[in-house]
Amino acid sequence: MKLTSVKPDRPVLVFLSLMVVSLAALLLLPPIAQDQGYHRFADERTLLGVPNFWNVVSNLPFIAVGAVGLRQFYRHPATFMLFLGVFLTGFGSSYYHWDPNDSALFWDRLPMTLSFAAILALIIKERMSARAGTILLWPALATGLFSLLLWRWTDDLRLYFWAQFFPGLAVLSLFLLYPAKYTGTRYWIVAVALYTLAKMFEFTDAAIYSAGNLLSGHTLKHFAAAAACLAILRYFQVRRPIAVNAKETATGPIRSFSTAPRP
């Protein structure tokens, strides 16, 4: 099915159905408690008086990327929240890795949920509906916050995992169902690839560290995830609007796309 043949209401129904089904699926899962072994990382070296040195300082790129994004896009609420989340992740993750425990992990995860929610709202705004994306931003942020509070109250991570992974699933669906309104989609592809690499580093933390005792997989995860954030920053810096012209033919409207100058 061609993108241009998709009826305007069908992608909306697909998106809403995906949301409802994924939320309902949470009820079929048993509660997911926080594994206390998660707080043990392969590289626990103390350098310059900083415990878990490399897992702490490897968060500095988040602060740098977030600061640039905040400075450039502070007038746009969803983009501001995206880079605010990136900026605060640098501090929250550093705080957590200084002394890993459940209480500190809350402040590591909170900024990330802000960024995930903002990305979902931004993609809906750019691909589906500007009004829907604007409205969805605040409920999405509230859901992310509530998912973390629910974890702290009940030690159940199900809703948090949904708040983290559903935006990625939804964004993929929106990319398939809607044509781009801006150039630079390749930066999103790069960001997804780098984030996938970051998750692979996370799951191979000890194996990577044991290969030479230089850097651990978790430290490399931070660098790869920050690089993904940098790719998203570059998208917003270089994107151009794509003008859409409808040409009436005997068989109906045909859309042609051309790159419009940057406003």
Side-chain angles (χ1 to χ4, degrees), residues 231-250:
I232 295 174
L233 174 63
R234 288 298 295 158
Y235 166 76
F236 285 104
Q237 289 174 332
V238 306
R239 69 177 185 172
R240 303 289 191 277
I242 300 175
V244 182
N245 300 315
K247 296 180 179 179
E248 292 295 332
T249 68

Side-chain angles (χ1 to χ4, degrees), residues 3-259:
L3 289 175
T4 53
S5 66
V6 178
K7 294 182 179 179
D9 59 342
R10 187 175 300 174
V12 177
L13 292 176
V14 170
F15 174 78
L16 292 176
S17 298
L18 187 63
M19 179 182 292
V20 171
V21 169
S22 60
L23 277 172
L26 292 180
L27 301 177
L28 303 178
L29 298 175
I32 302 174
Q34 177 62 57
D35 179 9
Q36 293 305 301
Y38 179 83
H39 303 309
R40 295 298 304 271
F41 299 96
D43 188 356
E44 297 181 332
R45 290 174 294 177
T46 297
L47 299 174
L48 303 176
V50 178
N52 309 307
F53 178 84
W54 286 109
N55 284 344
V56 172
V57 301
S58 57
N59 288 290
L60 292 176
F62 289 111
I63 298 174
V65 172
V68 174
L70 288 173
R71 181 182 179 185
Q72 294 184 348
F73 303 106
Y74 64 90
R75 289 190 176 94
H76 308 281
T79 316
F80 173 83
M81 293 305 303
L82 165 59
F83 290 110
L84 178 63
V86 173
F87 181 73
L88 294 178
T89 292
F91 292 99
S93 184
S94 296
Y95 174 68
Y96 165 66
H97 283 289
W98 191 286
D99 180 20
N101 59 75
D102 281 0
S103 296
L105 184 57
F106 176 91
W107 299 107
D108 180 13
R109 286 173 168 169
L110 177 59
M112 290 190 290
T113 63
L114 300 181
S115 292
F116 293 137
I119 287 174
L120 177 60
L122 282 164
I123 298 300
I124 288 176
K125 184 176 182 179
E126 292 189 0
R127 297 268 176 159
M128 180 188 293
S129 164
R131 184 171 181 270
T134 300
I135 294 173
L136 180 67
L137 173 62
W138 307 111
L141 292 171
T143 300
L145 173 59
F146 178 72
S147 72
L148 286 170
L149 292 175
L150 186 65
W151 162 52
R152 297 299 292 138
W153 293 334
T154 66
D155 195 26
D156 186 356
L157 284 166
R158 284 179 296 176
L159 186 59
Y160 168 73
F161 285 150
W162 181 88
Q164 182 179 16
F165 292 109
F166 175 76
L169 184 61
V171 166
L172 176 61
S173 300
L174 293 171
F175 269 62
L176 294 175
L177 291 170
Y178 285 91
K181 295 179 182 178
Y182 293 90
T183 62
T185 299
R186 66 183 181 277
Y187 287 104
W188 285 109
I189 297 174
V190 170
V192 169
L194 287 169
Y195 187 73
T196 301
L197 181 62
K199 299 303 289 185
M200 293 173 61
F201 284 146
E202 180 179 19
F203 293 125
T204 55
D205 180 34
I208 292 175
Y209 185 62
S210 64
N213 291 346
L214 295 175
L215 294 177
S216 69
H218 203 86
T219 296
L220 295 177
K221 171 204 171 182
H222 290 165
F223 289 137
C229 296
L230 178 60
I232 295 174
L233 174 63
R234 288 298 295 158
Y235 166 76
F236 285 104
Q237 289 174 332
V238 306
R239 69 177 185 172
R240 303 289 191 277
I242 300 175
V244 182
N245 300 315
K247 296 180 179 179
E248 292 295 332
T249 68
T251 57
I254 298 178
R255 290 183 178 181
S256 63
F257 295 83
S258 61
T259 302

